[in-house]
mmCIF file of all heavy atoms in Angstrom:
data_model
loop_
_atom_site.group_PDB
_atom_site.id
_atom_site.type_symbol
_atom_site.label_atom_id
_atom_site.label_comp_id
_atom_site.label_asym_id
_atom_site.label_seq_id
_atom_site.Cartn_x
_atom_site.Cartn_y
_atom_site.Cartn_z
ATOM 1 N N LYS Y 1465 86.509 107.918 63.337
ATOM 2 C CA LYS Y 1465 85.748 108.504 62.403
ATOM 3 C C LYS Y 1465 86.330 109.872 61.959
ATOM 4 O O LYS Y 1465 86.224 110.237 60.662
ATOM 5 C CB LYS Y 1465 84.346 108.650 62.921
ATOM 6 C CG LYS Y 1465 83.317 109.130 62.007
ATOM 7 C CD LYS Y 1465 81.961 109.266 62.562
ATOM 8 C CE LYS Y 1465 80.995 109.884 61.476
ATOM 9 N NZ LYS Y 1465 79.681 110.009 61.960
ATOM 10 N N MET Y 1466 86.663 110.636 62.889
ATOM 11 C CA MET Y 1466 87.266 111.914 62.453
ATOM 12 C C MET Y 1466 88.669 111.824 61.659
ATOM 13 O O MET Y 1466 88.790 112.447 60.594
ATOM 14 C CB MET Y 1466 87.561 112.810 63.742
ATOM 15 C CG MET Y 1466 86.249 113.203 64.329
ATOM 16 S SD MET Y 1466 86.512 113.910 66.019
ATOM 17 C CE MET Y 1466 87.018 115.569 65.612
ATOM 18 N N PHE Y 1467 89.409 110.900 62.034
ATOM 19 C CA PHE Y 1467 90.614 110.581 61.283
ATOM 20 C C PHE Y 1467 90.260 110.080 59.860
ATOM 21 O O PHE Y 1467 90.845 110.437 58.882
ATOM 22 C CB PHE Y 1467 91.507 109.613 61.861
ATOM 23 C CG PHE Y 1467 92.478 110.189 63.048
ATOM 24 C CD1 PHE Y 1467 92.493 109.858 64.251
ATOM 25 C CD2 PHE Y 1467 93.439 110.992 62.575
ATOM 26 C CE1 PHE Y 1467 93.398 110.290 65.033
ATOM 27 C CE2 PHE Y 1467 94.392 111.557 63.340
ATOM 28 C CZ PHE Y 1467 94.272 111.224 64.686
ATOM 29 N N ALA Y 1468 89.122 109.306 59.720
ATOM 30 C CA ALA Y 1468 88.761 108.812 58.471
ATOM 31 C C ALA Y 1468 88.285 109.890 57.631
ATOM 32 O O ALA Y 1468 88.593 110.028 56.331
ATOM 33 C CB ALA Y 1468 87.680 107.782 58.625
ATOM 34 N N GLU Y 1469 87.544 110.867 58.048
ATOM 35 C CA GLU Y 1469 87.108 112.023 57.476
ATOM 36 C C GLU Y 1469 88.217 112.879 57.013
ATOM 37 O O GLU Y 1469 88.263 113.324 55.822
ATOM 38 C CB GLU Y 1469 86.203 112.953 58.254
ATOM 39 C CG GLU Y 1469 84.839 112.250 58.603
ATOM 40 C CD GLU Y 1469 84.028 112.932 59.710
ATOM 41 O OE1 GLU Y 1469 84.327 114.075 60.183
ATOM 42 O OE2 GLU Y 1469 82.924 112.448 59.948
ATOM 43 N N ALA Y 1470 89.312 113.084 57.813
ATOM 44 C CA ALA Y 1470 90.421 113.743 57.411
ATOM 45 C C ALA Y 1470 91.209 113.094 56.277
ATOM 46 O O ALA Y 1470 91.639 113.810 55.353
ATOM 47 C CB ALA Y 1470 91.382 114.026 58.621
ATOM 48 N N GLU Y 1471 91.237 111.714 56.312
ATOM 49 C CA GLU Y 1471 91.902 111.102 55.204
ATOM 50 C C GLU Y 1471 91.214 111.234 53.940
ATOM 51 O O GLU Y 1471 91.826 111.313 52.823
ATOM 52 C CB GLU Y 1471 92.092 109.459 55.734
ATOM 53 C CG GLU Y 1471 92.810 108.649 54.733
ATOM 54 C CD GLU Y 1471 94.338 109.030 54.575
ATOM 55 O OE1 GLU Y 1471 94.846 109.601 55.468
ATOM 56 O OE2 GLU Y 1471 94.896 108.616 53.539
ATOM 57 N N LEU Y 1472 89.909 111.127 53.962
ATOM 58 C CA LEU Y 1472 89.039 111.205 52.789
ATOM 59 C C LEU Y 1472 89.260 112.525 52.182
ATOM 60 O O LEU Y 1472 89.404 112.754 50.944
ATOM 61 C CB LEU Y 1472 87.545 110.898 53.056
ATOM 62 C CG LEU Y 1472 87.347 109.477 53.362
ATOM 63 C CD1 LEU Y 1472 85.818 109.272 53.746
ATOM 64 C CD2 LEU Y 1472 87.442 108.578 52.209
ATOM 65 N N ALA Y 1473 89.339 113.578 52.960
ATOM 66 C CA ALA Y 1473 89.450 115.012 52.637
ATOM 67 C C ALA Y 1473 90.891 115.107 51.945
ATOM 68 O O ALA Y 1473 90.986 115.811 50.854
ATOM 69 C CB ALA Y 1473 89.359 115.931 53.733
ATOM 70 N N ARG Y 1474 91.919 114.483 52.545
ATOM 71 C CA ARG Y 1474 93.192 114.518 51.901
ATOM 72 C C ARG Y 1474 93.228 113.959 50.602
ATOM 73 O O ARG Y 1474 93.816 114.482 49.640
ATOM 74 C CB ARG Y 1474 94.289 113.871 52.897
ATOM 75 C CG ARG Y 1474 95.757 114.002 52.332
ATOM 76 C CD ARG Y 1474 96.726 113.496 53.369
ATOM 77 N NE ARG Y 1474 96.639 112.001 53.576
ATOM 78 C CZ ARG Y 1474 97.064 111.015 52.650
ATOM 79 N NH1 ARG Y 1474 97.606 111.484 51.459
ATOM 80 N NH2 ARG Y 1474 96.998 109.869 52.964
ATOM 81 N N LYS Y 1475 92.584 112.754 50.447
ATOM 82 C CA LYS Y 1475 92.579 112.122 49.263
ATOM 83 C C LYS Y 1475 91.809 112.763 48.097
ATOM 84 O O LYS Y 1475 92.164 112.766 46.968
ATOM 85 C CB LYS Y 1475 91.976 110.617 49.394
ATOM 86 C CG LYS Y 1475 92.899 109.638 50.013
ATOM 87 C CD LYS Y 1475 92.287 108.369 50.161
ATOM 88 C CE LYS Y 1475 93.189 107.274 50.872
ATOM 89 N NZ LYS Y 1475 92.594 105.973 50.999
ATOM 90 N N ALA Y 1476 90.902 113.572 48.500
ATOM 91 C CA ALA Y 1476 90.066 114.425 47.658
ATOM 92 C C ALA Y 1476 90.817 115.763 47.316
ATOM 93 O O ALA Y 1476 90.321 116.558 46.552
ATOM 94 C CB ALA Y 1476 88.776 114.819 48.217
ATOM 95 N N GLY Y 1477 91.911 116.012 47.982
ATOM 96 C CA GLY Y 1477 92.626 117.157 47.713
ATOM 97 C C GLY Y 1477 92.166 118.433 48.490
ATOM 98 O O GLY Y 1477 92.481 119.584 48.148
ATOM 99 N N ASP Y 1478 91.189 118.145 49.458
ATOM 100 C CA ASP Y 1478 90.636 119.248 50.217
ATOM 101 C C ASP Y 1478 91.442 119.505 51.525
ATOM 102 O O ASP Y 1478 91.146 119.062 52.529
ATOM 103 C CB ASP Y 1478 89.293 118.893 50.584
ATOM 104 C CG ASP Y 1478 88.535 120.183 51.109
ATOM 105 O OD1 ASP Y 1478 88.982 121.097 51.524
ATOM 106 O OD2 ASP Y 1478 87.157 120.078 51.102
#
Side-chain angles (χ1 to χ4, degrees):
K1465 182 179 178 187
M1466 293 169 77
F1467 272 118
E1469 290 171 5
E1471 182 67 20
L1472 290 172
R1474 185 176 65 78
K1475 286 181 179 179
D1478 191 342

